[in-house]
Amino acid sequence: MRQGSFSTLALKIALDFAKKDGIETQLLDLQKTPLPMFYSEENDTKEINLVKEQVKWADSFILATPDYHGSMSGSMKNFLDYFWSDFAGKLFGYICASHEKGLTVMDQMRTAVRQCYGWSMPYGVSINGENDFENGMVKNAQIQARLTMLSRDLSVYGKLIRNQFLQDIENNISDTFSYRYKK
Ligand SMILES: Cc1cc2nc3c(=O)[nH]c(=O)nc-3n(C[C@H](O)[C@H](O)[C@H](O)COP(=O)(O)O)c2cc1C
């Protein structure tokens, strides 16, 4: 949510790499598209409906968050609480801005995604603010390489997983994850 957020900057860079590979991308910036606090009752605002469409459209996701006390930001958790039902059979990658690598943060996002029947990349990208970025650009070559790798892997594996999930639903094969999920 912060102006000048490093996690948002890293996300934009990863999405730019994907675009260069011909992947269609959309950026959901929760500062520009704020979601009200989730309550379990039905709730619809212009923003919720817009984000719902974006989430349904996406085949895979990169979740980018700061490390807040070893966990994800409240706005990220709020986003996950709203849209969990459209995560099944989709692949998620993770970026965390932290001074301590943010491993527990990424683990907690992975746990939430798993509970929603989403798949997770086996690695994440941890960035450390001013150490890795300068004037809106990556200055750490290793971070640049990891963001490129994340964006490439997510688009390749995301497509494979999504296509198989949809194919299994269409073929109605009873001993598949997608069939059981649909039931
Ligand atoms: C409420 C709050 C809690 C934070 N907790 C931690 C923490 O536990 N560990 C850590 O390394 N950084 C912590 N930070 C620092 C942020 O993770 C760090 O500044 C990060 O770069 C912010 O990401 P952003 O630039 O995307 O906003 C905290 C910052 C805030 C505002």
Side-chain angles (χ1 to χ4, degrees):
M1 300 286 269
R2 199 175 64 80
Q3 288 274 5
S5 149
F6 289 113
S7 48
T8 305
L9 178 59
L11 174 60
K12 285 182 178 160
I13 292 167
L15 292 179
D16 282 344
F17 290 139
K19 266 187 252 172
K20 283 190 195 128
D21 278 345
I23 305 298
E24 284 181 65
T25 66
Q26 290 192 55
L27 171 74
L28 168 62
D29 182 339
L30 291 170
Q31 190 200 41
K32 299 206 173 88
T33 312
L35 297 169
M37 182 61 78
F38 176 79
Y39 293 99
S40 48
E41 302 96 57
E42 269 299 305
N43 194 353
D44 69 340
T45 65
K46 183 165 63 73
E47 286 80 13
I48 295 170
N49 291 322
L50 173 76
V51 179
K52 202 180 282 173
E53 288 310 308
Q54 289 182 301
V55 169
K56 280 184 187 299
W57 170 85
D59 289 329
S60 41
F61 296 82
I62 298 175
L63 303 183
T65 179
D67 179 338
Y68 282 176
H69 308 305
S71 188
M72 69 193 92
S73 66
S75 54
M76 175 61 78
K77 182 63 170 62
N78 197 43
F79 163 79
L80 296 176
D81 292 342
Y82 266 105
F83 303 107
W84 62 272
S85 63
D86 281 302
F87 294 164
K90 297 184 177 181
L91 180 62
F92 288 72
Y94 306 97
I95 294 174
C96 181
S98 175
H99 306 303
E100 301 166 302
K101 298 200 189 303
L103 297 179
T104 52
V105 181
M106 292 192 266
D107 276 349
Q108 288 174 34
M109 290 195 285
R110 260 190 206 104
T111 299
V113 163
R114 187 199 66 210
Q115 292 297 112
C116 308
Y117 304 103
W119 298 71
S120 283
M121 293 292 294
Y123 64 86
V125 181
S126 168
I127 55 165
N128 189 346
E130 288 86 2
N131 289 355
D132 296 329
F133 295 90
E134 201 169 290
N135 302 324
M137 315 265 281
V138 192
K139 66 173 178 182
N140 179 339
Q142 281 185 330
I143 295 295
Q144 169 107 0
R146 281 184 77 80
L147 288 171
T148 317
M149 179 172 76
L150 177 70
S151 134
R152 183 268 174 201
D153 285 349
L154 193 78
S155 57
V156 171
Y157 291 99
K159 200 183 286 176
L160 290 171
I161 289 173
R162 186 78 184 134
N163 286 346
Q164 190 63 54
F165 185 79
L166 294 175
Q167 203 177 306
D168 286 349
I169 287 185
E170 202 176 305
N171 294 341
N172 234 359
I173 306 168
S174 61
D175 58 352
T176 61
F177 159 58
S178 57
Y179 179 90
R180 281 162 190 254
Y181 174 75
K182 202 181 67 169
K183 255 176 62 183

